Each structure stands twice: as C-alpha cells, then as structure tokens.
Amino acid sequence: MTAPRLLIVGPQGSGKGTQGVRIAEALGIPVVSTGDVFRANVKDGTELGLKVKAIIDAGDLVPDELTSAIVRDRLEQDDAAGGFLLDGYPRNLGQVGDLDAFLASRGEALTGVIELSVPRDESIQRLALRATEQGRADDTEEAIAKRLSIYESETAPILDVYRERGVVDEIDGVGSLDAITERITAALAARGISA
Ligand code: ADP
C-alpha cells in the first residue's frame, strides 16, 4: 500500500484541526500543521516566532518561501516517511507549486485531499466561541475577517487544482465530531486509504 499523503482543507472554524488529528492518529501518521508550528515558535520566542508574530496576529499569510521551507524540513523527517497529514498548508497556489515540486522530486504526490465544508455563519459562530475559550491572538474580529477573506480568495482556488487531479473528497463538516470523523474515514477507505 502506498503511504497516505493527505491534506485537510476547510475555512477557519471548520474543525479541520480537530479532525486532522483524529484521522492522522487512526492512520498512524503525523499531522503537519503550519499554524501549530508558527504558534509554538511564537510561544517559545524563537527567531522564526519573532519574525512571524505580527503577521499571524494580523491574520495575514506568512511568506510562501518561509512557509514552504519549514514544511519541506518537516516532511524530510523520518516519521513522515510512511505518510503525513498536512493541515493549513498549502493554502495558496504558490504553495501548491512548492509542494508539488518537493513531492515530485521524491516521486510522490498527495493521495487524498479532504475538503471540510461548513456554512459561513456556522464557522463564524464556532470562531467566536473559540475566541472566548482559547483566547488566540488572531481570533480578533478583524483578524478573523481577514483570514476568512484570504481563505475565499486564495485557499479555495487550490481545491480546483486538486479536484482536477481527482483526489478531493468533499465532506459535510456539520454534525457531531464522531459523525464527521466517520464520514472522512469512509471517504478515505473508498480510496483504499485505511489503517
Ligand atoms: P486558521 O486556519 O484558523 O487561520 P491556522 O492555525 O491554520 O489557523 O493558521 C494560523 C496563522 O498561521 C495564519 O493566519 C497565518 O498567519 C499562518 N499560517 C498558517 N499556515 C500558513 C501557510 N500555509 N502559509 C502562510 N501562513 C500560514
């Protein structure tokens, strides 16, 4: 069986982080979340963290070059040799090109893209709740609006590219956490991707 090389995509508040962790755990592969990597660096006050903090807090995208280099380094680690699940990368067409080039250099490609759909008002409601629960610095009203608008203008178009390659499964992201995990698991199983 080929290693699962997956991407989960969805608007802010779609629950993609939570579902990504569940799916990766079930498949025994690591999650590579660019948002988590950036947040950990900000928290630890590393050089990278200092560089990206203002960008993230404003809801803007970190430059592609920097983000793509971080992902390449991460995917080269041993634990990603048997597959991985990307969360939050690629999120624009430039990053799709970077990832394609990297994977192609290893004779690889993404084997599945999970598109988690939730209506806009539902995701805004969930984000408002997260803002009060987690207090993320980029969950201000302004940064949320910017991130959702970048999602629509820059991230949603990457799905057209992957759709043409026939690797996208669109999953309804409304329902209980378990129900959504089951939907994703079933879609992946239909592609021959299972634990
Ligand atoms: P959300 O999906 O709620 O915006 P993430 O945790 O995925 O949260 O990302 C948080 C922030 O980290 C983004 O707003 C952006 O500033 C930065 N970031 C994450 N992934 C990328 C990426 N692929 N390219 C550029 N910036 C990124």
Side-chain angles (χ1 to χ4, degrees):
M1 201 190 78
T2 56
R5 297 190 186 89
L6 307 177
L7 162 65
I8 188 161
V9 186
Q12 285 71 19
S14 62
K16 73 181 162 58
T18 307
Q19 293 298 333
V21 168
R22 288 175 160 225
I23 297 300
E25 255 171 29
L27 294 173
I29 54 177
V31 175
V32 176
S33 158
T34 42
D36 283 354
V37 171
F38 290 138
R39 272 187 294 279
N41 277 275
V42 169
K43 186 162 162 268
D44 295 345
T46 66
E47 201 181 320
L48 171 66
L50 294 173
K51 217 186 269 183
V52 300
K53 183 178 186 326
I55 301 175
I56 292 176
D57 287 356
D60 286 315
L61 291 190
V62 174
D64 290 352
E65 234 179 57
L66 187 56
T67 309
S68 291
I70 288 165
V71 173
R72 279 195 297 270
D73 282 352
R74 179 65 189 87
L75 295 182
E76 274 167 351
Q77 288 170 30
D78 289 347
D79 67 329
F84 52 79
L85 183 143
L86 290 165
D87 167 7
Y89 178 94
R91 67 168 82 196
N92 61 26
L93 292 170
Q95 294 179 8
V96 170
D98 290 345
L99 180 66
D100 278 347
F102 172 74
L103 292 178
S105 75
R106 311 203 306 179
E108 296 171 359
L110 290 185
T111 55
V113 175
I114 302 152
E115 175 187 3
L116 209 51
S117 325
V118 274
R120 196 187 164 101
D121 46 341
E122 166 98 17
S123 64
I124 289 174
Q125 252 177 37
R126 292 185 191 173
L127 284 169
L129 185 69
R130 184 171 85 186
T132 56
E133 283 173 351
Q134 296 181 8
R136 254 173 64 165
D138 62 348
D139 277 346
T140 60
E141 208 172 306
E142 224 183 331
I144 287 174
K146 187 174 294 167
R147 277 150 57 223
L148 281 168
S149 117
I150 293 176
Y151 181 82
E152 278 161 22
S153 61
E154 297 193 39
T155 307
I158 79 169
L159 286 164
D160 295 333
V161 174
Y162 290 122
R163 224 171 257 126
E164 273 183 24
R165 298 183 192 173
V167 289
V168 178
D169 287 303
E170 186 180 349
I171 306 293
D172 176 4
V174 180
S176 71
L177 284 182
D178 286 346
I180 298 163
T181 305
E182 273 169 35
R183 287 175 204 151
I184 299 172
T185 306
L188 291 175
R191 291 185 179 275
I193 299 169
S194 58

